[in-house]
Amino acid sequence: MIIKIFINLIVIVLALIFPFSISQASELPDFLLKNLKVKENKKENGILGTAIAIEGAFKIKPGQKKPISATYRLEFFKDDKPIKASATTSLYKGKTGSVVCLIKRTFTITPGYCFLPHYALDVGVGKSELKVKLSIQAAPKKITDDLKVIKVLNNKEIQFKVNQKAFRSFQLTVHGVRVAKKTKNGDEWDAFWQLKPDPMACVEMKTKQLTDRLFCTPVVKNSYEAAWLSGTGQLWVIKDDPITLSIYDRDTQFDDLIGQISLKINEWHEQAHKIKEMSLVKFIQISFGD
């Protein structure tokens, strides 16, 4: 009994002497920001935008571990107010309607890179001075853990300039598609169930890393042919930005790409008025209207 009491006293004394180290071990590490490296008015896959690279690292103290996943959030400001996202974008629009760029990392949580397309910015035509600021949330041990805010050391707003080009509106309606009986590799579209494809057409803006889906048609189940009446409605993009039309075989987990084509607005107009049907690749044809 005396020995047990003595051991308990030792544990209590140690907890009183080293409270900081015990609690600190369960905390997430801080992130030391070295720089937000901005490259203005770049093009990625033909789309005009601004590239922002996050330079920095987590400061791991004794007893700490890197989080299992991290989300780097870049927010953008003009005249110290959040910039409103354009009506066209969905990928770069936050819950409040302002422009955000999210970089999500799992397991490998090194800081990332964001390409912000200018069509996502509602800042008006001409030169604008903008600011960008970083915040980070992380999951401590499991991907399913609640995200916790990470303290960003040396955090500050970085200024950069945008020379916004004029926007042009467009509407694209895909009237229908005809898909070959087999894939380009000679396989069945759904080899396990021996089913036909489930065609879906999407209008997208594609950079090297991300796809901003502007519009998708309803899915037509188990068919080599599909027809639609719905279109994109009026969308606005920068004149020379390529607009991508992608045809997918809709699946439960991942949509299989059947074919795609990227054209500028004036090229889409030429196709729509001169050629009512075109082949994306050897195994799919589409008819469309503007």
Side-chain angles (χ1 to χ4, degrees):
M1 183 68 178
I2 295 173
I3 294 173
K4 186 176 180 180
I5 293 171
F6 180 70
I7 292 172
N8 288 338
L9 285 172
I10 291 175
V11 172
I12 292 170
V13 169
L14 287 173
L16 290 172
I17 295 173
F18 304 107
F20 179 79
S21 61
I22 292 173
S23 62
Q24 186 72 9
S26 63
E27 293 178 359
L28 287 167
D30 297 334
F31 182 87
L32 177 60
L33 177 64
K34 295 180 180 178
N35 190 22
L36 291 177
K37 193 173 182 180
V38 178
K39 292 186 178 180
E40 302 169 349
N41 300 309
K42 282 193 62 178
K43 283 195 174 184
E44 193 171 285
N45 280 7
I47 293 176
L48 182 65
T50 296
I52 303 151
I54 302 170
E55 297 179 347
F58 283 94
K59 290 179 65 68
I60 310 296
K61 295 179 181 178
Q64 290 183 331
K65 292 183 179 180
K66 282 186 179 181
I68 194 69
S69 69
T71 298
Y72 301 84
R73 179 186 179 95
L74 293 172
E75 297 179 272
F76 301 87
F77 303 88
K78 181 180 179 181
D79 300 328
D80 296 324
K81 296 179 181 178
I83 297 172
K84 185 180 177 182
S86 70
T88 299
T89 185
S90 59
L91 185 65
Y92 300 94
K93 185 179 295 183
K95 291 181 180 179
T96 61
S98 59
V99 177
V100 296
C101 187
L102 299 179
I103 306 163
K104 297 183 179 181
R105 299 289 197 191
T106 303
F107 301 115
T108 303
I109 56 170
T110 52
Y113 160 88
C114 165
F115 181 81
L116 177 68
H118 289 177
Y119 72 80
L121 297 171
D122 186 2
V123 293
V125 177
K127 295 181 179 180
S128 296
E129 289 195 1
L130 310 182
K131 293 180 181 179
V132 57
K133 190 172 183 179
L134 172 70
S135 61
I136 304 174
Q137 290 184 315
K141 296 179 180 179
K142 297 183 293 184
I143 298 174
T144 54
D145 287 348
D146 292 336
L147 294 178
K148 298 184 181 298
V149 176
I150 296 288
K151 185 178 180 180
V152 180
L153 305 176
N154 195 34
N155 201 5
K156 56 185 177 182
E157 294 178 342
I158 302 296
Q159 289 187 329
F160 65 99
K161 295 179 181 179
V162 164
N163 188 12
Q164 187 70 303
K165 305 296 183 182
F167 279 62
R168 284 190 62 185
S169 65
F170 78 97
Q171 297 183 64
L172 182 62
T173 301
V174 182
H175 290 161
V177 298
R178 293 201 306 271
V179 183
K181 298 295 175 68
K182 293 187 178 181
T183 70
K184 61 182 178 181
N185 297 323
D187 300 324
E188 299 288 341
W189 288 103
D190 194 331
F192 184 79
W193 297 105
Q194 297 291 305
L195 296 176
K196 300 173 185 177
D198 302 325
M200 174 182 73
C202 292
V203 178
E204 303 167 329
M205 305 294 284
K206 298 177 77 72
T207 58
K208 289 181 181 178
Q209 295 181 339
L210 299 172
T211 297
D212 194 358
R213 282 190 173 179
L214 312 186
F215 168 81
C216 286
T217 65
V219 179
V220 177
K221 291 285 188 179
N222 197 31
S223 177
Y224 294 117
E225 295 189 5
W228 298 284
L229 296 175
S230 57
T232 61
Q234 192 171 48
L235 297 173
W236 296 83
V237 296
I238 292 172
K239 177 183 175 181
D240 292 329
D241 283 355
I243 302 158
T244 300
L245 173 63
S246 301
I247 311 298
Y248 294 97
D249 175 19
R250 187 78 166 96
D251 284 336
T252 305
Q253 290 186 319
F254 302 102
D255 299 334
D256 296 323
L257 180 65
I258 297 174
Q260 66 181 18
I261 187 170
S262 296
L263 298 172
K264 298 176 183 178
I265 286 181
N266 62 323
E267 294 171 331
W268 277 114
H269 277 291
E270 290 174 7
Q271 293 288 345
H273 288 95
K274 292 180 180 179
I275 306 171
K276 290 299 179 183
E277 188 168 280
M278 64 187 297
S279 175
L280 294 184
V281 287
K282 290 182 179 179
F283 52 96
I284 179 173
Q285 286 188 323
I286 64 168
S287 59
F288 56 89
D290 59 352

